[in-house]
PDB file of all heavy atoms in Angstrom:
ATOM      1  N   ALA P 212    -104.371 -78.847 157.016  1.00 98.00           N
ATOM      2  CA  ALA P 212    -105.181 -80.014 157.391  1.00 98.00           C
ATOM      3  C   ALA P 212    -106.233 -79.629 158.430  1.00 98.00           C
ATOM      4  O   ALA P 212    -107.403 -80.029 158.344  1.00 98.00           O
ATOM      5  CB  ALA P 212    -104.282 -81.125 157.933  1.00 98.00           C
ATOM      6  N   TYR P 213    -105.828 -78.829 159.398  1.00 98.00           N
ATOM      7  CA  TYR P 213    -106.754 -78.364 160.429  1.00 98.00           C
ATOM      8  C   TYR P 213    -107.896 -77.539 159.822  1.00 98.00           C
ATOM      9  O   TYR P 213    -109.072 -77.707 160.172  1.00 98.00           O
ATOM     10  CB  TYR P 213    -105.976 -77.544 161.460  1.00 98.00           C
ATOM     11  CG  TYR P 213    -106.820 -76.720 162.400  1.00 98.00           C
ATOM     12  CD1 TYR P 213    -107.543 -77.315 163.440  1.00 98.00           C
ATOM     13  CD2 TYR P 213    -106.891 -75.328 162.265  1.00 98.00           C
ATOM     14  CE1 TYR P 213    -108.312 -76.544 164.309  1.00 98.00           C
ATOM     15  CE2 TYR P 213    -107.650 -74.556 163.128  1.00 98.00           C
ATOM     16  CZ  TYR P 213    -108.364 -75.163 164.145  1.00 98.00           C
ATOM     17  OH  TYR P 213    -109.115 -74.405 165.001  1.00 98.00           O
ATOM     18  N   VAL P 214    -107.548 -76.662 158.896  1.00 98.00           N
ATOM     19  CA  VAL P 214    -108.538 -75.779 158.269  1.00 98.00           C
ATOM     20  C   VAL P 214    -109.612 -76.595 157.545  1.00 98.00           C
ATOM     21  O   VAL P 214    -110.807 -76.278 157.622  1.00 98.00           O
ATOM     22  CB  VAL P 214    -107.823 -74.791 157.301  1.00 98.00           C
ATOM     23  CG1 VAL P 214    -108.816 -74.110 156.365  1.00 98.00           C
ATOM     24  CG2 VAL P 214    -107.049 -73.743 158.107  1.00 98.00           C
ATOM     25  N   VAL P 215    -109.176 -77.664 156.879  1.00 98.00           N
ATOM     26  CA  VAL P 215    -110.146 -78.484 156.137  1.00 98.00           C
ATOM     27  C   VAL P 215    -110.833 -79.489 157.071  1.00 98.00           C
ATOM     28  O   VAL P 215    -112.063 -79.566 157.127  1.00 98.00           O
ATOM     29  CB  VAL P 215    -109.443 -79.214 154.970  1.00 98.00           C
ATOM     30  CG1 VAL P 215    -110.390 -80.201 154.300  1.00 98.00           C
ATOM     31  CG2 VAL P 215    -108.923 -78.190 153.951  1.00 98.00           C
ATOM     32  N   ASP P 216    -110.036 -80.240 157.828  1.00 98.00           N
ATOM     33  CA  ASP P 216    -110.595 -81.363 158.592  1.00 98.00           C
ATOM     34  C   ASP P 216    -111.379 -80.905 159.811  1.00 98.00           C
ATOM     35  O   ASP P 216    -112.437 -81.467 160.120  1.00 98.00           O
ATOM     36  CB  ASP P 216    -109.470 -82.309 159.039  1.00 98.00           C
ATOM     37  CG  ASP P 216    -108.728 -82.898 157.847  1.00 98.00           C
ATOM     38  OD1 ASP P 216    -109.293 -82.873 156.730  1.00 98.00           O
ATOM     39  OD2 ASP P 216    -107.579 -83.346 158.024  1.00 98.00           O
ATOM     40  N   THR P 217    -110.900 -79.927 160.520  1.00 97.00           N
ATOM     41  CA  THR P 217    -111.571 -79.498 161.748  1.00 97.00           C
ATOM     42  C   THR P 217    -112.524 -78.329 161.507  1.00 97.00           C
ATOM     43  O   THR P 217    -113.663 -78.343 161.970  1.00 97.00           O
ATOM     44  CB  THR P 217    -110.533 -79.115 162.822  1.00 97.00           C
ATOM     45  OG1 THR P 217    -109.665 -80.228 163.034  1.00 97.00           O
ATOM     46  CG2 THR P 217    -111.212 -78.742 164.126  1.00 97.00           C
ATOM     47  N   LEU P 218    -112.042 -77.331 160.769  1.00 98.00           N
ATOM     48  CA  LEU P 218    -112.888 -76.138 160.564  1.00 98.00           C
ATOM     49  C   LEU P 218    -113.918 -76.334 159.455  1.00 98.00           C
ATOM     50  O   LEU P 218    -114.899 -75.595 159.386  1.00 98.00           O
ATOM     51  CB  LEU P 218    -112.028 -74.907 160.257  1.00 98.00           C
ATOM     52  CG  LEU P 218    -110.985 -74.514 161.319  1.00 98.00           C
ATOM     53  CD1 LEU P 218    -110.235 -73.260 160.884  1.00 98.00           C
ATOM     54  CD2 LEU P 218    -111.639 -74.299 162.692  1.00 98.00           C
ATOM     55  N   GLY P 219    -113.670 -77.309 158.573  1.00 98.00           N
ATOM     56  CA  GLY P 219    -114.683 -77.617 157.556  1.00 98.00           C
ATOM     57  C   GLY P 219    -114.628 -76.780 156.297  1.00 98.00           C
ATOM     58  O   GLY P 219    -115.587 -76.756 155.521  1.00 98.00           O
ATOM     59  N   PHE P 220    -113.490 -76.088 156.069  1.00 98.00           N
ATOM     60  CA  PHE P 220    -113.331 -75.394 154.782  1.00 98.00           C
ATOM     61  C   PHE P 220    -113.344 -76.443 153.656  1.00 98.00           C
ATOM     62  O   PHE P 220    -113.013 -77.601 153.869  1.00 98.00           O
ATOM     63  CB  PHE P 220    -111.990 -74.658 154.707  1.00 98.00           C
ATOM     64  CG  PHE P 220    -111.869 -73.387 155.508  1.00 98.00           C
ATOM     65  CD1 PHE P 220    -112.356 -73.281 156.798  1.00 98.00           C
ATOM     66  CD2 PHE P 220    -111.235 -72.280 154.959  1.00 98.00           C
ATOM     67  CE1 PHE P 220    -112.211 -72.099 157.534  1.00 98.00           C
ATOM     68  CE2 PHE P 220    -111.077 -71.103 155.681  1.00 98.00           C
ATOM     69  CZ  PHE P 220    -111.569 -71.009 156.965  1.00 98.00           C
ATOM     70  N   ASP P 221    -113.668 -76.005 152.440  1.00 98.00           N
ATOM     71  CA  ASP P 221    -113.668 -76.921 151.301  1.00 98.00           C
ATOM     72  C   ASP P 221    -112.263 -77.245 150.823  1.00 98.00           C
ATOM     73  O   ASP P 221    -112.018 -78.325 150.280  1.00 98.00           O
ATOM     74  CB  ASP P 221    -114.473 -76.301 150.147  1.00 98.00           C
ATOM     75  CG  ASP P 221    -115.929 -76.125 150.533  1.00 98.00           C
ATOM     76  OD1 ASP P 221    -116.646 -77.142 150.549  1.00 98.00           O
ATOM     77  OD2 ASP P 221    -116.340 -74.998 150.859  1.00 98.00           O
ATOM     78  N   ALA P 222    -111.349 -76.298 151.003  1.00 98.00           N
ATOM     79  CA  ALA P 222    -109.964 -76.520 150.577  1.00 98.00           C
ATOM     80  C   ALA P 222    -109.080 -75.533 151.311  1.00 98.00           C
ATOM     81  O   ALA P 222    -109.557 -74.518 151.825  1.00 98.00           O
ATOM     82  CB  ALA P 222    -109.826 -76.315 149.062  1.00 98.00           C
ATOM     83  N   CYS P 223    -107.793 -75.859 151.392  1.00 98.00           N
ATOM     84  CA  CYS P 223    -106.844 -74.909 151.971  1.00 98.00           C
ATOM     85  C   CYS P 223    -105.522 -75.031 151.224  1.00 98.00           C
ATOM     86  O   CYS P 223    -105.018 -76.132 150.997  1.00 98.00           O
ATOM     87  CB  CYS P 223    -106.649 -75.173 153.465  1.00 98.00           C
ATOM     88  SG  CYS P 223    -105.632 -73.907 154.269  1.00 98.00           S
ATOM     89  N   ILE P 224    -104.984 -73.901 150.815  1.00 98.00           N
ATOM     90  CA  ILE P 224    -103.778 -73.856 150.003  1.00 98.00           C
ATOM     91  C   ILE P 224    -102.598 -73.463 150.901  1.00 98.00           C
ATOM     92  O   ILE P 224    -102.670 -72.479 151.637  1.00 98.00           O
ATOM     93  CB  ILE P 224    -103.914 -72.799 148.884  1.00 98.00           C
ATOM     94  CG1 ILE P 224    -105.248 -72.956 148.143  1.00 98.00           C
ATOM     95  CG2 ILE P 224    -102.724 -72.853 147.945  1.00 98.00           C
ATOM     96  CD1 ILE P 224    -105.466 -74.295 147.529  1.00 98.00           C
ATOM     97  N   ASP P 225    -101.523 -74.226 150.786  1.00 97.00           N
ATOM     98  CA  ASP P 225    -100.304 -73.956 151.548  1.00 97.00           C
ATOM     99  C   ASP P 225     -99.428 -72.995 150.742  1.00 97.00           C
ATOM    100  O   ASP P 225     -98.800 -73.390 149.760  1.00 97.00           O
ATOM    101  CB  ASP P 225     -99.583 -75.281 151.801  1.00 97.00           C
ATOM    102  CG  ASP P 225     -98.279 -75.086 152.570  1.00 97.00           C
ATOM    103  OD1 ASP P 225     -97.925 -73.930 152.893  1.00 97.00           O
ATOM    104  OD2 ASP P 225     -97.619 -76.109 152.837  1.00 97.00           O
ATOM    105  N   TYR P 226     -99.374 -71.742 151.178  1.00 95.00           N
ATOM    106  CA  TYR P 226     -98.647 -70.723 150.392  1.00 95.00           C
ATOM    107  C   TYR P 226     -97.140 -70.899 150.492  1.00 95.00           C
ATOM    108  O   TYR P 226     -96.377 -70.185 149.825  1.00 95.00           O
ATOM    109  CB  TYR P 226     -99.062 -69.309 150.806  1.00 95.00           C
ATOM    110  CG  TYR P 226     -98.554 -68.884 152.156  1.00 95.00           C
ATOM    111  CD1 TYR P 226     -97.266 -68.374 152.317  1.00 95.00           C
ATOM    112  CD2 TYR P 226     -99.353 -69.012 153.292  1.00 95.00           C
ATOM    113  CE1 TYR P 226     -96.795 -67.996 153.560  1.00 95.00           C
ATOM    114  CE2 TYR P 226     -98.893 -68.642 154.537  1.00 95.00           C
ATOM    115  CZ  TYR P 226     -97.613 -68.142 154.667  1.00 95.00           C
ATOM    116  OH  TYR P 226     -97.142 -67.779 155.905  1.00 95.00           O
TER     117      TYR P 226
END
Side-chain angles (χ1 to χ4, degrees):
Chain P
Y213 166 74
V214 165
V215 173
D216 299 341
T217 304
L218 301 181
F220 285 43
D221 296 284
C223 187
I224 312 302
D225 179 359
Y226 72 83

